[in-house]
Amino acid sequence: MNKYILTFCSLIISYHSFTLSAVGESQIYSPIPLQPNQLISDTLSSDDIPTGEGGFAKDYTIFLNKGDQIAIDVMSEDFDTVVMLIAEDGTTVAENDDAPDHDSNSLLFTRIAETGRYTIRVRAFGAVGNGKFTIQLTKLQPIVN
């Protein structure tokens, strides 16, 4: 009987040890802060957020005001970029795959409808693609005559 109790206790200790080490190794979701006009050079890799479609994504966060007119420019020579602007409630505000010049970079223009914190998600088009890229958000100024 003591043999079974000892084996059972060993299994419980092993389980808790495994659970703690698995929890300790998990990464906490933490988007990278982005400031207007700040150019960031970064890398998309398999260490980033799984998209559920076979690829990966990297998130940035920025606070924007109602009425802000913005341009988000993502450029890469390594992969076909896609950029998404996501509201605090998780809805997609805008998305762009290819810039107007028909290359594989992304250029997104939009006007902000509600003040709040937004997520900018960079991912590769399709299920594969990674490598170096740059991202920059510019607040556009209205033209005054």
Side-chain angles (χ1 to χ4, degrees):
M1 179 78 162
N2 287 338
K3 177 181 173 185
Y4 294 112
I5 292 174
L6 184 58
T7 303
F8 179 73
C9 289
S10 295
L11 287 172
I12 290 174
I13 291 169
S14 296
Y15 171 77
H16 286 294
S17 176
F18 173 75
T19 303
L20 289 175
S21 66
V23 169
E25 292 176 10
S26 68
Q27 295 178 349
I28 296 173
Y29 175 72
S30 182
I32 301 163
L34 179 66
Q35 299 299 317
N37 302 315
Q38 176 188 13
L39 180 67
I40 293 180
S41 296
D42 211 337
T43 303
L44 186 65
S45 74
S46 60
D47 292 332
D48 293 315
I49 305 163
T51 63
E53 301 168 351
F56 295 89
K58 187 162 279 195
D59 286 356
Y60 300 86
T61 184
I62 189 165
F63 187 85
L64 298 168
N65 294 303
K66 179 178 180 176
D68 283 347
Q69 296 178 57
I70 62 167
I72 304 171
D73 192 14
V74 180
M75 298 187 338
S76 176
E77 294 181 8
D78 296 338
F79 63 95
D80 184 358
T81 64
V82 176
V83 64
M84 298 172 62
L85 182 66
I86 303 168
E88 284 183 288
D89 65 2
T91 58
T92 300
V93 174
E95 181 175 0
N96 181 267
D97 173 24
D98 293 327
D101 58 1
H102 303 291
D103 64 15
S104 63
N105 296 315
S106 301
L107 182 58
L108 183 149
F109 293 98
T110 195
R111 182 184 311 236
I112 301 303
E114 293 183 33
T115 296
R117 182 150 306 279
Y118 288 81
T119 299
I120 300 168
R121 177 163 293 159
V122 175
R123 67 177 179 84
F125 180 79
V128 296
N130 58 37
K132 295 179 181 180
F133 68 93
T134 60
I135 181 170
Q136 184 172 25
L137 178 139
T138 304
K139 285 190 178 181
L140 304 173
Q141 302 298 319
I143 297 174
V144 180
N145 291 333

